[in-house]
Amino acid sequence: MRLRRDKGTQGDRNRKRGIVRFFRDLLVIFFVALLISFLIKTFLIRSFYIPSGSMENTLQVNDRIMVNELVPDLITIARGDVIVFTDPGGWLSATEQGTVEAGNPVADGIRWFFAEVGLSAQETNDHLIKRVIGLPGDKVACCDTTGHITVNDAPLSEPYLKASSGTTRSPEKYFTVTVPADSLWVEGDNRDNSADSRLHTTTPSKGFVPIANVVGRAFVITWPVGHWSWLDNYPNTFRGTSQDR
């Protein structure tokens, strides 16, 4: 009887140790996964959601996108890239920047935590998304006799544009600019409804986006599933615009 009792006690101890090891390993895996996710968000990719229709029909309201954060530090920006950048100053109104809806503090805390470790879409009011039209040194103008934007005097045929509503082009949309060093000229794909470089020439950056403000290049739509697609930079559209052509 004594031997059986000892064996039973030993078996119970082994089972308890096994359960403890299981939960310990589970916690280790969980925290390692969070660390990896945090590092990926910090250095590689980041998720954002689309709050407005300025990039229709390429991006729809509430689409989720992934952004490559290696751009521009390790990978150069190209004409046609869709980029996410922080407000250069004066592009977003104070009311837009300060608007925060009240909610459940517990739910808000959970959403904040998952956003911080890169497991949910970033929801900030100081980021914008547009398409790069002009690189440093480019001469960008609107428009030629056929109504096309030109880059270094080469007209652009832009298949990504949302069809125009047919309204008369407003005077401020006619322009000729030369993009300064370390800056970009950006426009939305929904030109009739996009407050982009064209409409911010009176801001401190004069409508240009400093490359230092670029968070990264959007490369894929991840949600909803029906919208999943890679985001193209349409190299054929910008063929012939290089200054050394």
mmCIF file of all heavy atoms in Angstrom, residues 60-89:
data_model
loop_
_atom_site.group_PDB
_atom_site.id
_atom_site.type_symbol
_atom_site.label_atom_id
_atom_site.label_comp_id
_atom_site.label_asym_id
_atom_site.label_seq_id
_atom_site.Cartn_x
_atom_site.Cartn_y
_atom_site.Cartn_z
ATOM 1 N N GLN A 60 -10.856 52.247 -51.194
ATOM 2 C CA GLN A 60 -12.206 52.611 -50.755
ATOM 3 C C GLN A 60 -12.186 52.957 -49.268
ATOM 4 O O GLN A 60 -11.290 52.536 -48.524
ATOM 5 C CB GLN A 60 -13.172 51.445 -50.999
ATOM 6 C CG GLN A 60 -13.207 50.950 -52.432
ATOM 7 C CD GLN A 60 -13.719 51.990 -53.408
ATOM 8 O OE1 GLN A 60 -14.606 52.770 -53.081
ATOM 9 N NE2 GLN A 60 -13.161 51.997 -54.618
ATOM 10 N N VAL A 61 -13.173 53.727 -48.834
ATOM 11 C CA VAL A 61 -13.301 54.070 -47.424
ATOM 12 C C VAL A 61 -13.380 52.794 -46.596
ATOM 13 O O VAL A 61 -14.095 51.854 -46.942
ATOM 14 C CB VAL A 61 -14.548 54.943 -47.181
ATOM 15 C CG1 VAL A 61 -14.738 55.206 -45.688
ATOM 16 C CG2 VAL A 61 -14.429 56.257 -47.946
ATOM 17 N N ASN A 62 -12.589 52.753 -45.502
ATOM 18 C CA ASN A 62 -12.502 51.635 -44.557
ATOM 19 C C ASN A 62 -11.690 50.446 -45.060
ATOM 20 O O ASN A 62 -11.636 49.418 -44.390
ATOM 21 C CB ASN A 62 -13.889 51.162 -44.100
ATOM 22 C CG ASN A 62 -14.602 52.204 -43.252
ATOM 23 O OD1 ASN A 62 -13.953 52.931 -42.496
ATOM 24 N ND2 ASN A 62 -15.916 52.292 -43.387
ATOM 25 N N ASP A 63 -11.058 50.578 -46.230
ATOM 26 C CA ASP A 63 -10.081 49.558 -46.619
ATOM 27 C C ASP A 63 -8.945 49.532 -45.602
ATOM 28 O O ASP A 63 -8.604 50.552 -45.000
ATOM 29 C CB ASP A 63 -9.494 49.868 -48.000
ATOM 30 C CG ASP A 63 -10.378 49.394 -49.139
ATOM 31 O OD1 ASP A 63 -11.411 48.750 -48.873
ATOM 32 O OD2 ASP A 63 -10.034 49.684 -50.303
ATOM 33 N N ARG A 64 -8.356 48.345 -45.432
ATOM 34 C CA ARG A 64 -7.147 48.200 -44.626
ATOM 35 C C ARG A 64 -5.976 47.927 -45.554
ATOM 36 O O ARG A 64 -6.098 47.121 -46.478
ATOM 37 C CB ARG A 64 -7.278 47.033 -43.642
ATOM 38 C CG ARG A 64 -7.718 47.417 -42.233
ATOM 39 C CD ARG A 64 -9.031 48.118 -42.148
ATOM 40 N NE ARG A 64 -9.431 48.377 -40.766
ATOM 41 C CZ ARG A 64 -10.481 49.074 -40.423
ATOM 42 N NH1 ARG A 64 -11.268 49.587 -41.344
ATOM 43 N NH2 ARG A 64 -10.776 49.263 -39.148
ATOM 44 N N ILE A 65 -4.855 48.585 -45.291
ATOM 45 C CA ILE A 65 -3.685 48.424 -46.148
ATOM 46 C C ILE A 65 -2.463 48.092 -45.300
ATOM 47 O O ILE A 65 -2.417 48.384 -44.097
ATOM 48 C CB ILE A 65 -3.403 49.704 -46.962
ATOM 49 C CG1 ILE A 65 -3.188 50.891 -46.018
ATOM 50 C CG2 ILE A 65 -4.527 49.979 -47.949
ATOM 51 C CD1 ILE A 65 -2.681 52.139 -46.696
ATOM 52 N N MET A 66 -1.462 47.479 -45.942
ATOM 53 C CA MET A 66 -0.171 47.267 -45.304
ATOM 54 C C MET A 66 0.833 48.204 -45.949
ATOM 55 O O MET A 66 0.823 48.408 -47.166
ATOM 56 C CB MET A 66 0.286 45.821 -45.460
ATOM 57 C CG MET A 66 -0.620 44.812 -44.765
ATOM 58 S SD MET A 66 -0.759 45.070 -42.967
ATOM 59 C CE MET A 66 0.880 44.613 -42.439
ATOM 60 N N VAL A 67 1.716 48.767 -45.115
ATOM 61 C CA VAL A 67 2.692 49.760 -45.563
ATOM 62 C C VAL A 67 4.104 49.245 -45.300
ATOM 63 O O VAL A 67 4.408 48.778 -44.194
ATOM 64 C CB VAL A 67 2.457 51.099 -44.826
ATOM 65 C CG1 VAL A 67 3.581 52.078 -45.093
ATOM 66 C CG2 VAL A 67 1.116 51.694 -45.237
ATOM 67 N N ASN A 68 4.945 49.317 -46.316
ATOM 68 C CA ASN A 68 6.343 48.906 -46.217
ATOM 69 C C ASN A 68 7.151 50.062 -45.633
ATOM 70 O O ASN A 68 7.359 51.088 -46.281
ATOM 71 C CB ASN A 68 6.870 48.524 -47.608
ATOM 72 C CG ASN A 68 8.319 48.093 -47.589
ATOM 73 O OD1 ASN A 68 8.977 48.098 -46.549
ATOM 74 N ND2 ASN A 68 8.841 47.727 -48.750
ATOM 75 N N GLU A 69 7.641 49.884 -44.394
ATOM 76 C CA GLU A 69 8.364 50.955 -43.721
ATOM 77 C C GLU A 69 9.841 51.016 -44.101
ATOM 78 O O GLU A 69 10.565 51.885 -43.611
ATOM 79 C CB GLU A 69 8.217 50.803 -42.209
ATOM 80 C CG GLU A 69 6.811 51.035 -41.710
ATOM 81 C CD GLU A 69 6.740 51.109 -40.199
ATOM 82 O OE1 GLU A 69 7.000 50.086 -39.537
ATOM 83 O OE2 GLU A 69 6.442 52.195 -39.683
ATOM 84 N N LEU A 70 10.290 50.111 -44.974
ATOM 85 C CA LEU A 70 11.661 50.204 -45.472
ATOM 86 C C LEU A 70 11.799 51.338 -46.492
ATOM 87 O O LEU A 70 12.906 51.729 -46.845
ATOM 88 C CB LEU A 70 12.090 48.877 -46.107
ATOM 89 C CG LEU A 70 12.164 47.684 -45.156
ATOM 90 C CD1 LEU A 70 12.569 46.430 -45.906
ATOM 91 C CD2 LEU A 70 13.128 47.953 -44.002
ATOM 92 N N VAL A 71 10.637 51.818 -46.974
ATOM 93 C CA VAL A 71 10.585 52.980 -47.865
ATOM 94 C C VAL A 71 10.359 54.218 -46.991
ATOM 95 O O VAL A 71 9.438 54.233 -46.163
ATOM 96 C CB VAL A 71 9.418 52.834 -48.875
ATOM 97 C CG1 VAL A 71 9.342 54.047 -49.775
ATOM 98 C CG2 VAL A 71 9.559 51.548 -49.686
ATOM 99 N N PRO A 72 11.172 55.265 -47.092
ATOM 100 C CA PRO A 72 12.220 55.491 -48.088
ATOM 101 C C PRO A 72 13.636 55.248 -47.583
ATOM 102 O O PRO A 72 14.584 55.506 -48.321
ATOM 103 C CB PRO A 72 12.040 56.974 -48.403
ATOM 104 C CG PRO A 72 11.664 57.565 -47.061
ATOM 105 C CD PRO A 72 10.825 56.507 -46.376
ATOM 106 N N ASP A 73 13.805 54.780 -46.332
ATOM 107 C CA ASP A 73 15.150 54.704 -45.754
ATOM 108 C C ASP A 73 16.065 53.732 -46.497
ATOM 109 O O ASP A 73 17.238 54.019 -46.719
ATOM 110 C CB ASP A 73 15.058 54.317 -44.270
ATOM 111 C CG ASP A 73 14.393 55.403 -43.439
ATOM 112 O OD1 ASP A 73 14.461 56.575 -43.850
ATOM 113 O OD2 ASP A 73 13.807 55.088 -42.395
ATOM 114 N N LEU A 74 15.526 52.556 -46.861
ATOM 115 C CA LEU A 74 16.331 51.540 -47.538
ATOM 116 C C LEU A 74 15.915 51.322 -48.989
ATOM 117 O O LEU A 74 16.711 50.858 -49.805
ATOM 118 C CB LEU A 74 16.259 50.209 -46.779
ATOM 119 C CG LEU A 74 16.835 50.219 -45.355
ATOM 120 C CD1 LEU A 74 16.687 48.847 -44.716
ATOM 121 C CD2 LEU A 74 18.307 50.636 -45.370
ATOM 122 N N ILE A 75 14.670 51.620 -49.306
ATOM 123 C CA ILE A 75 14.152 51.465 -50.672
ATOM 124 C C ILE A 75 13.691 52.833 -51.155
ATOM 125 O O ILE A 75 12.936 53.517 -50.465
ATOM 126 C CB ILE A 75 12.977 50.461 -50.715
ATOM 127 C CG1 ILE A 75 13.427 49.092 -50.183
ATOM 128 C CG2 ILE A 75 12.425 50.324 -52.124
ATOM 129 C CD1 ILE A 75 12.304 48.094 -50.040
ATOM 130 N N THR A 76 14.158 53.240 -52.320
ATOM 131 C CA THR A 76 13.843 54.580 -52.813
ATOM 132 C C THR A 76 12.386 54.678 -53.270
ATOM 133 O O THR A 76 11.776 53.686 -53.668
ATOM 134 C CB THR A 76 14.762 54.961 -53.988
ATOM 135 O OG1 THR A 76 14.614 53.979 -55.024
ATOM 136 C CG2 THR A 76 16.211 55.016 -53.542
ATOM 137 N N ILE A 77 11.866 55.882 -53.199
ATOM 138 C CA ILE A 77 10.509 56.167 -53.659
ATOM 139 C C ILE A 77 10.517 56.335 -55.175
ATOM 140 O O ILE A 77 11.434 56.946 -55.739
ATOM 141 C CB ILE A 77 9.963 57.430 -52.989
ATOM 142 C CG1 ILE A 77 9.870 57.224 -51.469
ATOM 143 C CG2 ILE A 77 8.598 57.817 -53.557
ATOM 144 C CD1 ILE A 77 9.533 58.494 -50.714
ATOM 145 N N ALA A 78 9.504 55.796 -55.835
ATOM 146 C CA ALA A 78 9.369 55.932 -57.289
ATOM 147 C C ALA A 78 8.104 56.709 -57.615
ATOM 148 O O ALA A 78 7.148 56.727 -56.826
ATOM 149 C CB ALA A 78 9.321 54.556 -57.949
ATOM 150 N N ARG A 79 8.081 57.347 -58.767
ATOM 151 C CA ARG A 79 6.855 57.985 -59.228
ATOM 152 C C ARG A 79 5.762 56.923 -59.334
ATOM 153 O O ARG A 79 6.009 55.818 -59.798
ATOM 154 C CB ARG A 79 7.068 58.641 -60.588
ATOM 155 C CG ARG A 79 8.136 59.727 -60.616
ATOM 156 C CD ARG A 79 8.287 60.309 -62.012
ATOM 157 N NE ARG A 79 9.446 61.190 -62.113
ATOM 158 C CZ ARG A 79 10.678 60.782 -62.433
ATOM 159 N NH1 ARG A 79 10.882 59.489 -62.691
ATOM 160 N NH2 ARG A 79 11.678 61.648 -62.503
ATOM 161 N N GLY A 80 4.569 57.268 -58.916
ATOM 162 C CA GLY A 80 3.456 56.331 -58.955
ATOM 163 C C GLY A 80 3.259 55.561 -57.673
ATOM 164 O O GLY A 80 2.208 54.930 -57.492
ATOM 165 N N ASP A 81 4.232 55.588 -56.763
ATOM 166 C CA ASP A 81 4.063 54.893 -55.486
ATOM 167 C C ASP A 81 2.925 55.529 -54.687
ATOM 168 O O ASP A 81 2.754 56.756 -54.687
ATOM 169 C CB ASP A 81 5.346 54.972 -54.648
ATOM 170 C CG ASP A 81 6.419 54.007 -55.107
ATOM 171 O OD1 ASP A 81 6.109 53.119 -55.924
ATOM 172 O OD2 ASP A 81 7.572 54.127 -54.628
ATOM 173 N N VAL A 82 2.169 54.694 -53.987
ATOM 174 C CA VAL A 82 1.157 55.175 -53.042
ATOM 175 C C VAL A 82 1.826 55.213 -51.674
ATOM 176 O O VAL A 82 2.265 54.174 -51.172
ATOM 177 C CB VAL A 82 -0.079 54.259 -53.034
ATOM 178 C CG1 VAL A 82 -1.078 54.728 -51.973
ATOM 179 C CG2 VAL A 82 -0.742 54.243 -54.407
ATOM 180 N N ILE A 83 1.933 56.396 -51.091
ATOM 181 C CA ILE A 83 2.678 56.541 -49.843
ATOM 182 C C ILE A 83 1.784 57.051 -48.705
ATOM 183 O O ILE A 83 0.801 57.758 -48.930
ATOM 184 C CB ILE A 83 3.875 57.496 -50.004
ATOM 185 C CG1 ILE A 83 3.415 58.896 -50.428
ATOM 186 C CG2 ILE A 83 4.897 56.929 -50.993
ATOM 187 C CD1 ILE A 83 4.488 59.965 -50.296
ATOM 188 N N VAL A 84 2.162 56.675 -47.499
ATOM 189 C CA VAL A 84 1.553 57.215 -46.279
ATOM 190 C C VAL A 84 2.567 58.171 -45.672
ATOM 191 O O VAL A 84 3.764 57.865 -45.589
ATOM 192 C CB VAL A 84 1.207 56.089 -45.293
ATOM 193 C CG1 VAL A 84 0.786 56.678 -43.948
ATOM 194 C CG2 VAL A 84 0.103 55.203 -45.862
ATOM 195 N N PHE A 85 2.096 59.352 -45.266
ATOM 196 C CA PHE A 85 3.002 60.353 -44.696
ATOM 197 C C PHE A 85 2.293 61.138 -43.617
ATOM 198 O O PHE A 85 1.049 61.189 -43.562
ATOM 199 C CB PHE A 85 3.532 61.302 -45.789
ATOM 200 C CG PHE A 85 2.463 62.013 -46.572
ATOM 201 C CD1 PHE A 85 2.051 63.297 -46.230
ATOM 202 C CD2 PHE A 85 1.851 61.400 -47.661
ATOM 203 C CE1 PHE A 85 1.072 63.946 -46.960
ATOM 204 C CE2 PHE A 85 0.869 62.043 -48.407
ATOM 205 C CZ PHE A 85 0.477 63.321 -48.053
ATOM 206 N N THR A 86 3.069 61.728 -42.749
ATOM 207 C CA THR A 86 2.498 62.575 -41.704
ATOM 208 C C THR A 86 2.281 63.980 -42.250
ATOM 209 O O THR A 86 2.950 64.412 -43.191
ATOM 210 C CB THR A 86 3.414 62.637 -40.474
ATOM 211 O OG1 THR A 86 4.718 63.076 -40.872
ATOM 212 C CG2 THR A 86 3.526 61.269 -39.813
ATOM 213 N N ASP A 87 1.334 64.666 -41.662
ATOM 214 C CA ASP A 87 0.959 66.012 -42.101
ATOM 215 C C ASP A 87 2.186 66.934 -42.112
ATOM 216 O O ASP A 87 2.821 67.148 -41.077
ATOM 217 C CB ASP A 87 -0.100 66.558 -41.141
ATOM 218 C CG ASP A 87 -0.632 67.917 -41.550
ATOM 219 O OD1 ASP A 87 -0.187 68.446 -42.589
ATOM 220 O OD2 ASP A 87 -1.496 68.443 -40.831
ATOM 221 N N PRO A 88 2.530 67.498 -43.278
ATOM 222 C CA PRO A 88 3.676 68.423 -43.336
ATOM 223 C C PRO A 88 3.424 69.740 -42.610
ATOM 224 O O PRO A 88 4.344 70.531 -42.408
ATOM 225 C CB PRO A 88 3.853 68.668 -44.844
ATOM 226 C CG PRO A 88 3.110 67.574 -45.524
ATOM 227 C CD PRO A 88 1.967 67.235 -44.617
ATOM 228 N N GLY A 89 2.165 69.977 -42.255
ATOM 229 C CA GLY A 89 1.809 71.214 -41.561
ATOM 230 C C GLY A 89 0.746 71.982 -42.305
ATOM 231 O O GLY A 89 0.994 72.498 -43.391
#
